[in-house]
Amino acid sequence: MLNNLLKRLRKPLALEPIPALKMAGEDISQSTLDELLNAKTRLSAIYNASFDAISMLGDDGFIEGNRAAMALFGCANLDEFCRHHPIDLSPATQACGTDSKTLSQHYIDLTLKNGSCRFEWLYHRADNGIVFVTEVMLSSLEVNGATIIQCVHHDLTGRRKTEANLATKKKKNKALKKTLYEQALFNSKFKETSVLQDAIFNSHSFSSIATDAQGVIQIFNVGAEAMLGYSAAEVINIFTPAYLSDQNELNARADILSQEFGVTISSGFEALVYKAALGIEDIYELTYLCKNGTRLLAQVSVTALRDENAAIIGYLLIGIDHTEQTTIKIAARQQLKTLSLALEQSQSGVMIADLNNNIEYINQAFINSLGYIREDIIGQNPRRVISGKTIEKTYVDMWAALNEGRAWQGELINLNKQGEEIVEQTWISPIRQEDGTISHYLSVKDNITERKQKDAELIAAKERSENLAKTKTQFLANMSHEIRTPMNAIIGFSELALLEDMPPKVNDYLQNINVASNHLLIILNDILDLSKLEAGQMGLNLGPFSLYDLQTTLYNLFSNTAQSKGLVLNIDIASDVPDYLIGDSIRLRQVLINLLGNGIKFTSQGTVALNISLQHFDDQQAKLLFAVTDSGIGITLEQQAKLFLPFSQVDDGYTRNYEGTGLGLVISQDLVQLMGSIIKVESYLGISSCFSFELQLPIAPLSTLAGIETPSSTVQSALRTETAALNGIKILVAEDDGLNQIIIRQVLKHLGASFIMMANNGSEVLSALEQDDFDVVLMDLHMPIMNGYDAAIEIRKLRRYAQLPIIALSAGITDEDKQRCMAAGMNDVMAKPINVEVLLSILAQWLKQ
């Protein structure tokens, strides 16, 4: 009899594909579902949330799988899953009788040939060996040049059971109807045991609730008990399914049905079964209220049970727990909503185009950037906004990447609606579907027009700044040359005059002229050094040197000055300090001269001392502390803040009482920082001051000590004693200034040179070399007709003078000048005014070679 009543149950209760779902009182079309699924695909969230098992197959078996795949095959985790090959989890033969391994290879070959393949397959679980049947879809994918197989397994076990149950149900339909007829109404005898009753009413897989015609529950199976938490005794003959359902959903459903059929729905149960009573099959989403207060989302089929006269004698509601699937759909919808909001609120312009490059989507930022409305752009080709200013290679590279399935990024110059050019930083990437095929292109654009303009302005400003710095450097170089040239004459003539016998008063005058000229030269050097430091052109010239030689040099420089002021000068090196170190001895001496000079300048009585002590030592290097202490006027904290500011002295009082540029400490601090340290100041007003710094210096190996020279005597002493140093040497001097010619000639004569020839420019140098042989050329750089650089280049073209020493001698030598001299073929460089010690050293080096 039950079989007869279920005769009109035509579909297997939502276990087949559903053409349309009803969810939370609203219609959701198949296209909406497709949109959700596509959105999830783009977001890649569906991979692990998928109800179907998805895996990747390589040569040795599974290489990837989602959670559903691990659950389907009975694997605890991904590592366990990837240890298996599909053949390992398959019976020896398939349902068709063919060997599994042979049939598997056939389907793989078919997939590689056609790109995809769909078939049914028997597997057994890894954990318990239970055999189950799946529908398998294979897709061929290319990943980083390698081919892998994507497998989607849809478990057909439940469907097969349902189909079997439905087949049984049809066979028993007449018996079921006969039973219901004999009892007139649904009563307890409806529950008598049969195969069909066991299949439907005793299943744990889904809930079965049967009511009488008035909706009172008569049967509440074990699946319903497990799903809703009630026992059958608690609901039979007491509740209706409407009592167990969300009333808001039922009210919404009643309103929809009332509008659709033009009737008034009087109760929640009527809303639940109205279509079934009309013979319309209805499968929809329903929220059940469980006994423990939780809400359970179910997919429910409602069928009216009729007697042989088609009169309704009850209703059958079969439900499946749909919480997880519904949660996935809700999450997908929320993700889609979030994605939509993110795209619309993004500050970057977003565009999606199909493979024919027709625009399907643009966001608000895209509209804002170009000034078009959506209707102007949707369905159009992006070429509409192309300016023609983007170089062709950019498009070639872009399409080469996209055609290979790769992402591309670069800058495009486009036009907005007003015809204005805009520069867009653009990222374009392919959008792939589940099977790996590319269906669309996603383009993300940032309008960087303003940034590019600012960058251009910054570059222009930087170029102006560099040009200004270059102009400043060139100006200082020119000024250096112009000032050094007459100073060379003043210093040179005063030193030559001091060699002659003269009245004491005249000698004092000349001595003062010489001192003042050298002081002026120090000021000029300070200004030039500061300019180099500011321009980042100052470097260190590292080499081995002796601290004790430096001690001797410093003492000779300051002993007379200190003695004349009645001061005690102490220069002390601790006994454990290594003698020979590697560093820039010239710059270190310059710093210590500045600090000692200031100490003596600002001290009227007492002591000025330099102490060099060892802080740390190993086989490779030594850390030294240099401290210059004086018993002078001291410095306040406010004054200390000005010490290292260019052209600044501690206050106006100092400016009146103590001469100087205010550059010495600034340059000293910069030089010490170049060496990796910093000058520290500790001072007490009216008592004393201490300037100190630490240096980490490598210890000079013994093999490098041979080239270290000991300190020489003063210039005048050198002129007096080295009267035969250049005896027999033939010297050609290129110098265009008459006074400097006289000085150079006299200095060279005092050094014993007997053959000296003067040339006023580079052209005369070349003529002189054609007429006679010379041992060395002293070459001025800045001369009329032909300068020193060009003259040196021409000399090196002559084979006979390939090894002739050429020494640059100029009033303004910068690092660039030195590099240019070397590039022109000169051997060495010397700055004016002439330092006799340096000149002798350079000549000795190159004449010896």
Side-chain angles (χ1 to χ4, degrees), residues 642-666:
K642 301 179 181 180
L643 283 177
F644 300 107
L645 298 177
F647 305 103
S648 174
Q649 294 179 317
V650 292
D651 66 13
D652 292 340
Y654 287 164
T655 304
R656 290 193 299 271
N657 295 308
Y658 302 96
E659 61 185 9
T661 62
L663 294 177
L665 282 178
V666 177

Side-chain angles (χ1 to χ4, degrees), residues 620-677:
Q620 303 295 326
Q621 55 189 357
K623 187 176 185 180
L624 305 180
L625 174 65
F626 297 80
V628 176
T629 307
D630 64 65
S631 57
I633 60 177
I635 311 169
T636 67
L637 289 175
E638 181 181 358
Q639 293 166 342
Q640 289 178 31
K642 301 179 181 180
L643 283 177
F644 300 107
L645 298 177
F647 305 103
S648 174
Q649 294 179 317
V650 292
D651 66 13
D652 292 340
Y654 287 164
T655 304
R656 290 193 299 271
N657 295 308
Y658 302 96
E659 61 185 9
T661 62
L663 294 177
L665 282 178
V666 177
I667 294 171
S668 297
Q669 182 72 286
D670 288 344
L671 289 175
V672 170
Q673 287 178 349
L674 270 179
M675 299 178 195
S677 186

Side-chain angles (χ1 to χ4, degrees), residues 755-788:
F755 190 92
I756 304 167
M757 184 172 182
M758 291 292 170
N760 295 298
N761 54 63
S763 180
E764 292 185 7
V765 169
L766 296 177
S767 298
L769 289 174
E770 289 179 359
Q771 299 172 11
D772 206 341
D773 292 328
F774 293 89
D775 296 306
V776 64
V777 176
L778 300 181
M779 183 78 74
D780 189 21
L781 298 179
H782 303 282
M783 299 179 293
I785 302 176
M786 179 182 286
N787 61 42

Side-chain angles (χ1 to χ4, degrees), residues 604-819:
S604 56
Q605 59 181 0
T607 303
V608 176
L610 165 63
N611 292 292
I612 304 175
S613 58
L614 182 66
Q615 303 296 103
H616 178 73
F617 173 80
D618 58 36
D619 294 339
Q620 303 295 326
Q621 55 189 357
K623 187 176 185 180
L624 305 180
L625 174 65
F626 297 80
V628 176
T629 307
D630 64 65
S631 57
I633 60 177
I635 311 169
T636 67
L637 289 175
E638 181 181 358
Q639 293 166 342
Q640 289 178 31
K642 301 179 181 180
L643 283 177
F644 300 107
L645 298 177
F647 305 103
S648 174
Q649 294 179 317
V650 292
D651 66 13
D652 292 340
Y654 287 164
T655 304
R656 290 193 299 271
N657 295 308
Y658 302 96
E659 61 185 9
T661 62
L663 294 177
L665 282 178
V666 177
I667 294 171
S668 297
Q669 182 72 286
D670 288 344
L671 289 175
V672 170
Q673 287 178 349
L674 270 179
M675 299 178 195
S677 186
I678 188 171
I679 297 177
K680 299 178 181 178
V681 183
E682 185 177 355
S683 183
Y684 302 94
L685 190 63
I687 299 176
S688 67
S689 298
C690 178
F691 291 78
S692 64
F693 58 92
E694 293 180 332
L695 289 182
Q696 191 97 8
L697 298 173
I699 298 173
L702 294 176
S703 59
T704 64
L705 303 182
I708 300 179
E709 298 180 4
T710 57
S712 302
S713 59
T714 64
V715 173
Q716 293 180 41
S717 174
L719 285 172
R720 290 191 177 96
T721 59
E722 298 286 349
T723 55
L726 300 180
N727 186 29
I729 303 299
K730 298 175 69 174
I731 302 174
L732 176 58
V733 179
E735 172 62 63
D736 64 316
D737 185 85
L739 294 177
N740 282 336
Q741 286 183 357
I742 295 172
I743 293 171
I744 294 172
R745 183 184 293 276
Q746 293 301 318
V747 169
L748 293 176
K749 279 186 177 181
H750 274 284
L751 294 176
S754 57
F755 190 92
I756 304 167
M757 184 172 182
M758 291 292 170
N760 295 298
N761 54 63
S763 180
E764 292 185 7
V765 169
L766 296 177
S767 298
L769 289 174
E770 289 179 359
Q771 299 172 11
D772 206 341
D773 292 328
F774 293 89
D775 296 306
V776 64
V777 176
L778 300 181
M779 183 78 74
D780 189 21
L781 298 179
H782 303 282
M783 299 179 293
I785 302 176
M786 179 182 286
N787 61 42
Y789 302 109
D790 294 339
I793 292 172
E794 293 301 319
I795 292 172
R796 292 305 183 212
K797 291 179 180 179
L798 303 174
R799 181 174 298 180
R800 59 184 287 204
Y801 291 123
Q803 302 299 322
L804 175 67
I806 304 175
I807 312 301
L809 192 64
S810 181
I813 297 294
T814 65
D815 291 340
E816 290 181 357
D817 292 331
K818 292 179 183 179
Q819 294 174 5

